């Protein structure tokens, strides 16, 4: 089983350049289906989820190839409109292909995307919005049979600001006749990045980043060359690493405006953080202070993806921090593993109470999900002795090269592939 070995106790110092954003490039890869040209993606991260998306695109009849550091997608030919169960299971967010397939092919057959480590991952808001645009969707034996010979623009109000539903409906709306208005849309920066990609392909989309996104569908789209935004959660990971281990670093390419809730929490804990157009610099001395309360919420609230990462920082802070996880049902699985390292955490449903301890000790711990696994590596940087983080394949879904980046900051970490 592959694992990371981390020797804790080193202060960090250095500079790292941020990879492209996983949660931006995945919907962008689906969006390439909307045009019949060639797309070149720059700063596309080399991730397991990107590999899975490339396999789906190839299965549909497209080509997806790395050309040096750029990813070339050619979508002139589509030979099928169904994604196999095996391909759907490889990546939880493969439901994002549904809207684009309906817009391009007028039909789609996909299996219900499974839940994941974070709990059930329903797509009822995606399906309700697609039905409002005229799609006929039938669920039989875990497979969704979808037909949309003519998608038409609709006024859609999302019951909650779902990132995936907003993105799926934006893509379907590009292929619909007329105007689609998505109200209570998610406002994450990745939604704005998707809008900028679509506009670069000739689409008429506006409002991303606000609660109302408007798409004037029916425009013929073309390929483009596009640079993916930097990954703000990877930035949060490295900020947390320096915060907990102590030291100073510069994150080149990071945009503080995408992470204000996270940098506010780290500043409250006692970190010195400065953001400018080039990136984010952070300096952290011992000891950190607990942060009264951290509540996860849709953007621009505190991002659920950074919950485990900032929890790792506060395990040794002086005082008590109360976390409230309001987005996913089961997103504290990393807590038990942190307790094996000496952390004091009490879980009450959606609430986790973290009481700072003076020291953590290295231990053999298991990555439970993508960000929980990264958080265990962060905690290991501040623990005395060696921490082994097994099941590291979870981490590889979202981090292009965690070892390369943390070593650039002076961490003692190495990756041991499965034997
Ligand atoms: C995206 O997931 C991200 N994934 C997640 O990142 C992120 O945690 C999440 O947004 C929230 O910011 C990608 O972008 C690939 P949602 P998504 O739809 O789109 C409920 C990571 O670590 N819901 O905003 O699935 C849902 O159950 C991953 O990189 C419905 O009830 O998130 C959840 O409780 C983890 N019905 C809440 O909404 C629906 O139809 C937010 O989900 C859709 C969602």
């Amino acid at each position: 089983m592959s694992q990371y070995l981390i020797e804790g106790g080193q202060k960090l110092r250095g500079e790292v350049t941020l990879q492209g954003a996983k949660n931006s490039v995945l919907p962008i890869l689906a969006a390439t289906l909307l045009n019949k040209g060639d797309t070149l993606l720059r700063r596309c991260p080399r991730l397991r989820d990107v590999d899975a998306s490339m396999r789906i695109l190839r299965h549909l009849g497209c080509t997806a190839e790395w050309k040096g550091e750029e990813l070339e997608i050619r979508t002139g030919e589509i030979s099928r409109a169904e994604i196999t169960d095996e391909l759907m299971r490889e990546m939880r967010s493969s439901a994002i292909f549904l809207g684009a397939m309906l817009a391009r092919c007028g039909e789609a057959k996909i299996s219900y995307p499974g839940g994941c480590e974070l709990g059930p991952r329903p797509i009822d808001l995606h399906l309700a919005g697609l039905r409002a645009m005229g799609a006929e969707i039938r669920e039989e034996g875990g497979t969704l049979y979808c037909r949309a010979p003519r998608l038409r623009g609709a006024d859609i109000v999302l019951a909650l600001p779902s990132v995936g539903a907003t993105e799926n409906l934006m893509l379907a709306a590009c292929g619909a006749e007329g105007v689609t208005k998505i109200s209570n849309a998610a406002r994450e920066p990745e939604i704005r990045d998707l809008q900028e990609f679509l506009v670069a392909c000739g689409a008429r989309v506006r409002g991303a980043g606000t609660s109302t996104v408007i798409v004037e569908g029916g425009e013929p789209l073309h390929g483009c060359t596009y640079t993916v935004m930097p990954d703000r959660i990877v930035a949060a990971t490295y900020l947390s690493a320096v915060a907990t281990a102590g030291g100073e670093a510069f994150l080149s390419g990071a945009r503080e405006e995408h992470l204000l809730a996270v940098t506010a929490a780290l500043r409250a804990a006692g970190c010195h953080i400065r953001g400018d157009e080039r990136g984010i610099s952070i300096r952290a001395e011992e000891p950190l202070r607990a942060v009264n309360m951290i509540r996860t919420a849709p953007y621009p609230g505190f991002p659920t993806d950074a919950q485990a990462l900032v929890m790792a920082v506060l395990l040794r802070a002086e005082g008590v921090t109360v976390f409230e996880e309001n987005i996913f049902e089961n997103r504290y699985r990393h807590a038990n593993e942190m307790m094996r390292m000496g952390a004091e955490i009490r879980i009450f449903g959606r609430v986790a109470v973290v009481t700072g301890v003076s020291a953590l000790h290295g231990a053999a711990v298991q990555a439970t999900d993508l960000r929980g696994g990264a958080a265990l590596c962060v905690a290991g940087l501040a623990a005395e002795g060696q921490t082994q983080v097994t099941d590291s394949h979870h981490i590889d879904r979202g981090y292009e090269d965690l070892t390369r980046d943390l070593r650039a900051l002076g961490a003692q970490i190495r990756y041991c592939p499965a034997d």
Side-chain angles (χ1 to χ4, degrees):
M1 174 187 335
S2 61
Q3 60 180 349
Y4 286 101
L5 295 178
I6 296 116
E7 293 296 337
Q10 302 283 328
K11 284 195 181 301
L12 301 185
R13 186 177 306 281
E15 176 171 330
V16 67
T17 298
L18 280 184
Q19 70 181 58
K22 168 179 88 78
N23 292 350
S24 178
V25 75
L26 295 182
I28 285 175
L29 286 168
T32 60
L33 289 174
L34 296 171
N35 76 70
K36 297 181 179 175
D38 299 347
T39 296
L40 207 54
L41 293 181
R42 292 180 172 144
R43 196 162 50 198
C44 179
R46 293 174 185 263
L47 304 170
R48 286 182 55 213
D49 277 6
V50 170
D51 295 342
S53 296
M54 290 168 69
R55 279 194 288 278
I56 289 173
L57 287 167
R58 290 181 188 134
H59 174 78
L60 296 176
C62 311
T63 66
E65 305 299 337
W66 286 102
K67 302 286 185 187
E69 288 308 302
E70 298 173 339
L71 183 61
E72 181 193 69
I73 313 287
R74 308 183 74 163
T75 47
E77 296 297 323
I78 299 284
S79 52
R80 51 166 71 95
E82 52 88 21
I83 301 178
T84 63
D85 186 54
E86 182 198 355
L87 283 170
M88 285 295 290
R89 286 182 184 281
E90 279 188 29
M91 182 177 70
R92 222 291 316 164
S93 47
S94 36
I96 192 62
F97 280 88
L98 186 51
M101 285 167 72
L102 288 177
R104 174 73 182 262
C105 311
E107 60 177 332
K109 177 184 163 197
I110 67 169
S111 55
Y112 236 97
C116 74
E117 312 80 20
L118 308 182
R121 302 291 292 274
I123 58 169
D124 55 308
L125 302 181
H126 302 234
L127 303 184
L130 293 171
R131 287 188 170 109
M133 297 168 81
E136 296 154 23
I137 300 173
R138 180 169 49 86
E139 197 262 313
E140 236 173 68
T143 299
L144 288 172
Y145 298 88
C146 312
R147 278 191 70 255
R150 200 172 61 80
L151 285 170
R152 56 181 183 280
D155 275 0
I156 298 164
V157 181
L158 291 177
L160 51 86
S162 155
V163 171
T166 302
E167 293 164 343
N168 230 336
L169 297 174
M170 285 167 70
L171 301 188
C174 287
E177 285 168 24
V179 178
T180 296
K181 178 178 172 185
I182 306 169
S183 302
N184 196 24
R187 296 186 275 166
E188 273 70 4
E190 292 77 14
I191 310 269
R192 186 194 291 270
D193 211 32
L194 179 60
Q195 172 177 286
E196 287 174 20
F197 172 77
L198 291 169
V199 167
C201 295
R204 297 161 71 91
V205 189
R206 63 184 189 275
T210 74
S211 294
T212 305
V213 177
I214 309 273
V215 182
E216 295 174 46
E219 297 289 324
L221 303 188
H222 50 73
C224 70
T225 296
Y226 190 77
T227 300
V228 177
M229 68 177 271
D231 193 309
R232 61 194 176 99
I233 306 302
V234 171
T237 307
Y238 300 157
L239 290 172
S240 299
V242 176
T244 193
E248 56 185 315
F250 180 69
L251 307 187
S252 177
R255 297 178 194 160
E256 194 189 359
E257 70 270 21
H258 292 165
L259 272 175
L260 292 174
V262 174
T263 54
L266 294 176
R267 284 194 179 98
C271 297
H272 306 278
I273 295 172
R274 194 170 51 78
D276 61 28
E277 68 288 347
R278 295 180 310 114
I280 301 176
S281 53
I282 179 171
R283 183 167 47 80
E285 281 103 25
E286 298 284 343
L288 293 179
R289 301 183 292 272
V291 176
N292 186 26
M293 181 95 192
I294 289 184
R295 288 190 179 87
T296 66
Y299 191 88
F302 190 94
T304 174
D305 294 348
Q307 175 252 104
L309 300 167
V310 173
M311 184 181 287
V313 174
L314 297 172
L315 296 178
R316 290 191 314 138
E318 287 172 357
V320 176
T321 301
V322 177
F323 285 81
E324 192 177 58
E325 171 54 58
N326 296 306
I327 305 295
F328 289 111
E329 284 175 16
N330 186 22
R331 201 163 198 177
Y332 287 132
R333 297 175 69 207
H334 47 277
N336 280 335
E337 301 303 309
M338 290 175 170
M339 285 188 254
R340 292 165 63 92
M341 300 171 71
E344 273 192 36
I345 307 171
R346 304 280 305 280
I347 307 289
F348 307 94
R350 286 186 174 275
V351 170
V353 179
V354 175
T355 304
V357 293
S358 55
L360 294 173
H361 53 79
V365 293
Q366 197 172 4
T368 52
D369 55 79
L370 166 54
R371 306 302 172 182
L376 292 172
C377 293
V378 168
L381 294 171
E384 291 159 5
Q386 183 181 80
T387 297
Q388 293 166 285
V389 181
T390 58
D391 282 6
S392 62
H393 62 277
H394 288 292
I395 302 172
D396 302 341
R397 285 189 42 227
Y399 294 82
E400 188 172 63
D401 192 334
L402 190 64
T403 307
R404 171 197 68 196
D405 291 349
L406 287 180
R407 278 185 176 170
L409 298 178
Q412 288 197 30
I413 178 173
R414 63 192 172 91
Y415 175 72
C416 305
D419 39 18

